[in-house]
Amino acid sequence: RQYQEKPLISDCGGTIIIHVFGAYFGLAACHGLGPPRNMVLNASSYHSDLFSLIGTVFLWLYWPSFVAGALPSGEQQTAALLNTVIALLASTVVTFGLTCIMERGRLSTVPIQNATLAGGVAIGATANLVGPFGSIAVG
C-alpha cells in the first residue's frame, strides 16, 4: 500500500530522507572513527560559538523556503511557509524560557542553537498538512 500513486506520507521538505541519511551516516562515522583521543580539542571557543550562532541565524531565516520550495505555488506552499515560521518561533520561545530555568538564570548558546532549529526540522515533513496550532505544538 505504501507504493501507490498517492503515498501515505508527504515529505514536502525532504527532511525525512535527509535526516535519516545523516543519522545513519553519523552513526557509521562514529563507529568507524572510534572515541576521540584528545577531548580538549572537542571544546568550544568564543569564535566557534559566534560562527555557529551566525550559521543558526542563516538557517532560521532560510529554512521556510527550503521546506516549501518543492511544493507547487499556491495554498500548500503558503501554508508550509507559515507553519514552518510558526514552528521555528515556538521552538525559539520555549528554548529561551527553558534555558533560563535549567541553567539557573543564564543563557547558554549551545542549547539555544540546537533547539531553535529543532522546530524547523520537526515540522519539515508535514508543514503543508498541519494548521497553525499544530505547528506550535510541533515546534
Side-chain angles (χ1 to χ4, degrees):
R1 207 178 141 164
Q2 182 175 345
Y3 300 105
Q4 295 174 347
E5 286 183 28
K6 185 175 180 182
L8 298 176
I9 62 168
S10 172
D11 189 13
C12 64
T15 55
I16 294 173
I17 301 297
I18 291 169
H19 289 96
V20 167
F21 171 78
Y24 283 116
F25 182 83
L27 287 172
C30 287
H31 180 71
L33 294 173
R37 291 184 209 145
N38 190 354
M39 288 301 289
V40 175
L41 298 176
N42 199 19
S44 66
S45 67
Y46 173 77
H47 297 299
S48 66
D49 284 344
L50 184 65
F51 280 117
S52 179
L53 191 61
I54 292 169
T56 301
V57 169
F58 276 111
L59 279 172
W60 205 99
L61 289 173
Y62 293 114
W63 201 281
S65 62
F66 173 73
V67 169
L71 292 171
S73 60
E75 188 177 318
Q76 280 193 347
Q77 189 178 42
T78 305
L81 284 169
L82 290 174
N83 288 333
T84 305
V85 170
I86 291 170
L88 285 166
L89 284 169
S91 65
T92 303
V93 169
V94 170
T95 300
F96 270 92
L98 287 178
T99 302
C100 283
I101 293 170
M102 297 177 84
E103 299 285 333
R104 295 183 190 95
R106 277 189 81 207
L107 288 176
S108 178
T109 58
V110 175
I112 290 172
Q113 290 168 354
N114 290 330
T116 300
L117 297 176
V121 171
I123 198 73
T126 59
N128 60 333
L129 301 176
V130 299
F133 183 75
S135 59
I136 289 172
V138 168

